[in-house]
Amino acid sequence: MDSKQSSNTTKILMLPWLAQGHITPFLELAKKLSTKDFHIYLCSTSIILNSIQNRISKTQSHSIELVPFHLPPTPELPPHRHTTNGLPPHLLRALIDAFEMESPSFSNTLRTLSPDLVIYDVFRPRPPSTDASEYKIPAVELMTSGAAAVSFGYHKFAKPDVELPFPELQLNSNQRFPGSDRADTRRRLESPRISCKMTLINSFRELEGKYIDYLPILIEKKIIPTGPLVQGTTVDGDKDSEILQWLGAKDEFSTVFVSFGSESFLSNEEREEIAHGLELSGVNFIWIVRFPVGERIEVGEALPVEFLERIGERGMIVEGWAPQTQILAHPNTGGFVSHCGWNSILESLKFGVPIVAVPMHHDQPINAKLVEAAGFGAEVKRDENKRLDRENIAQVIKKVVVDEEGVGVRTKAREFSEIIRKKGDEEINGVVKELVQLCTKGK
């Protein structure tokens, strides 16, 4: 490791969880802090670091160092599986257990780098603040999920007999928020005893003010919003250019972007209903179709018979990956059919694109409720058997993108985009002030 920082530079060691939805906000926070006289060590497994190497510019690389963290390889968890991306679900417990065993390695990293501060992922199974406290290094959590979902989860655990004070977040009978009865929730609630009385959260007050204000009541910590930690717009290669060229030939606000994240996968039935819903809606679309690792399926075979022929130039099917932020930033994009992962919601808001919410699991159902409550999208409702309906999908898409009744939704999305633009680095400057004070006390 080549440390180029001056003796006065504050050094921060960051430890995200091994999922893309967690890596991205950590990396974007690292980029923002690196412009404020902080030197960042971003610590993760080699497979994760290799995947983000090209997202750090040459200028940023002087103040952001990628530090490999070595989990013990096992027959079921070789190094290429030290990430949740593409990990078979039955191996998630093994990956968590591997993290439980890595304390000596992390302790060595702390001793070698001697950072002034540790920022760690609240999701991590074993809080590294335990190790940091041995070296008298302050440790701060970063919550990569939104305040509404976090408040919901903590409330259900800490106050199971008390009605949630936010009726707009009430889930349907066929929806369940995960984690509210797990031991790791207890660990997170107890974490104030071993980490600083401060938690960073990937959100902003204009969107989630009342949920941000409720969190300190539940976890007894000061909550500091970072603002949206959203990756920038870059085009990488001919495939990206082809997609954007196709989009550029459409009318303004005429096209929906359809993506369910890198780690959520539609069932065959869901994929068929989405396809028919897009067809019935009559709008243009770019649909990112993904399959779990190991499933060898031809895209054409996974879609309804003659679907590709019927949609013609109105739709573009892309397998695997596409430049999401570039597509959302494009003036011809008028809606985002999304699983409501938190990063996707913040990206959509940054670029003023209303959301057609199709939540699947984890925090997504709560995020979808927030989308509707905040007025910048509408949810596609499932039936009592959790099934999607093509007619309903088409109806919600048309409402959000085309119909007169969706004007307010489209306007609200653009209002949030303008709020984010005007605020600029306001939240990050607040974060910097808090972190500098914390490090000064530590020294």
Side-chain angles (χ1 to χ4, degrees):
M1 286 166 282
D2 182 16
S3 299
K4 306 176 182 65
Q5 73 276 12
S6 71
S7 59
N8 295 324
T9 301
T10 300
K11 298 179 293 182
I12 298 179
L13 176 61
M14 290 188 171
L15 288 147
W17 172 240
L18 304 180
Q20 286 300 321
H22 293 242
I23 297 296
T24 292
F26 266 84
L27 177 57
E28 296 309 312
L29 179 60
K31 291 177 182 179
K32 289 179 179 292
L33 293 179
S34 72
T35 68
K36 309 291 184 179
D37 202 28
F38 288 88
H39 189 88
I40 308 298
Y41 301 108
L42 185 57
C43 188
S44 192
T45 57
S46 295
I47 186 70
I48 290 286
L49 298 183
N50 290 339
S51 72
I52 64 173
Q53 180 75 56
N54 62 355
R55 291 164 58 183
I56 300 174
S57 68
K58 289 184 178 180
T59 302
Q60 293 166 338
S61 65
H62 293 296
S63 51
I64 301 176
E65 291 188 50
L66 301 183
V67 180
F69 191 82
H70 302 289
L71 295 183
T74 64
E76 62 179 0
L77 274 183
H80 73 273
R81 281 187 166 169
H82 291 170
T83 170
T84 62
N85 190 16
L87 185 74
H90 72 277
L91 291 179
L92 179 59
R93 183 69 253 175
L95 186 62
I96 292 174
D97 290 342
F99 263 96
E100 295 283 357
M101 297 166 57
E102 45 76 69
S103 181
S105 176
F106 175 63
S107 185
N108 291 336
T109 301
L110 276 176
R111 186 169 57 252
T112 301
L113 297 178
S114 188
D116 300 299
L117 175 72
V118 173
I119 298 178
Y120 68 96
D121 198 321
V122 71
F123 185 81
R124 286 174 60 88
R126 181 182 186 277
S129 51
T130 307
D131 303 285
S133 64
E134 296 177 5
Y135 297 95
K136 294 182 170 56
I137 300 170
V140 173
E141 298 168 326
L142 171 61
M143 292 180 174
T144 57
S145 298
V150 174
S151 294
F152 185 96
Y154 279 144
H155 177 94
K156 290 296 185 183
F157 180 86
K159 301 183 177 184
D161 299 324
V162 179
E163 187 174 348
L164 184 73
F166 310 117
E168 72 276 10
L169 300 183
Q170 188 62 45
L171 295 178
N172 300 327
S173 59
N174 65 350
Q175 294 174 314
R176 178 180 178 274
F177 188 83
S180 58
D181 57 351
R182 297 191 326 213
D184 59 341
T185 306
R186 178 179 295 279
R187 188 271 299 164
R188 292 170 198 167
L189 284 169
E190 293 175 344
S191 65
R193 301 172 187 160
I194 55 177
S195 64
C196 296
K197 294 279 188 175
M198 179 195 309
T199 293
L200 308 179
I201 190 162
N202 180 20
S203 189
F204 60 108
R205 285 196 165 276
E206 288 79 0
L207 174 62
E208 293 198 293
K210 62 181 178 180
Y211 312 116
I212 291 172
D213 290 337
Y214 186 57
L215 270 174
I217 299 172
L218 296 172
I219 65 174
E220 300 176 4
K221 287 189 178 186
K222 184 177 184 179
I223 305 297
I224 311 295
T226 63
L229 299 173
V230 176
Q231 61 181 314
T233 55
T234 57
V235 180
D236 182 20
D238 294 338
K239 179 181 177 181
D240 296 358
S241 298
E242 179 185 352
I243 295 170
L244 295 173
Q245 185 177 3
W246 181 92
L247 181 58
K250 305 306 177 186
D251 294 333
E252 187 178 33
F253 304 134
S254 68
T255 304
V256 293
F257 177 57
V258 187
S259 177
F260 296 90
S262 59
E263 298 184 22
S264 296
F265 303 99
L266 298 170
S267 67
N268 292 338
E269 181 182 354
E270 288 172 329
R271 193 184 308 114
E272 182 163 339
E273 293 304 307
I274 292 289
H276 285 296
L278 289 168
E279 185 176 357
L280 290 170
S281 73
V283 303
N284 305 321
F285 62 88
I286 298 173
W287 184 5
I288 313 306
V289 178
R290 295 184 178 93
F291 306 102
V293 173
E295 286 193 14
R296 300 188 177 278
I297 304 174
E298 293 292 331
V299 173
E301 296 177 0
L303 298 172
V305 176
E306 297 183 350
F307 173 74
L308 296 176
E309 290 79 6
R310 291 196 302 272
I311 62 170
E313 279 299 306
R314 187 163 66 77
M316 177 179 241
I317 304 294
V318 180
E319 184 175 3
W321 188 88
Q324 178 161 307
T325 53
Q326 281 280 15
I327 293 170
L328 292 174
H330 200 286
N332 294 350
T333 300
F336 184 9
V337 181
S338 171
H339 66 314
C340 290
W342 189 241
N343 290 336
S344 290
I345 286 177
L346 293 181
E347 288 172 3
S348 201
L349 284 180
K350 180 177 179 178
F351 301 113
V353 179
I355 290 177
V356 174
V358 188
M360 301 179 71
H361 47 64
H362 302 320
D363 59 345
Q364 296 158 20
I366 294 295
N367 294 342
K369 300 297 182 188
L370 174 66
V371 166
E372 282 203 323
F376 60 92
E379 182 180 356
V380 174
K381 302 296 192 291
R382 296 173 184 262
D383 66 18
E384 62 276 7
N385 296 313
K386 302 183 182 180
R387 290 192 296 251
L388 296 172
D389 174 72
R390 63 191 67 179
E391 298 282 352
N392 184 229
I393 294 169
Q395 181 182 11
V396 177
I397 290 175
K398 286 190 287 186
K399 171 186 174 180
V400 169
V401 181
V402 179
D403 292 348
E404 187 70 23
E405 64 175 317
V407 169
V409 169
R410 298 189 285 274
T411 300
K412 180 60 72 172
R414 289 161 199 157
E415 287 176 356
F416 275 118
S417 179
E418 185 64 12
I419 288 170
I420 293 170
R421 186 191 67 79
K422 286 183 176 179
K423 286 171 72 74
D425 281 347
E426 181 181 318
E427 285 110 344
I428 286 298
N429 290 337
V431 170
V432 168
K433 181 180 178 180
E434 295 283 351
L435 297 185
V436 168
Q437 289 178 351
L438 187 58
C439 292
T440 301
K441 289 180 182 178
K443 293 179 179 178

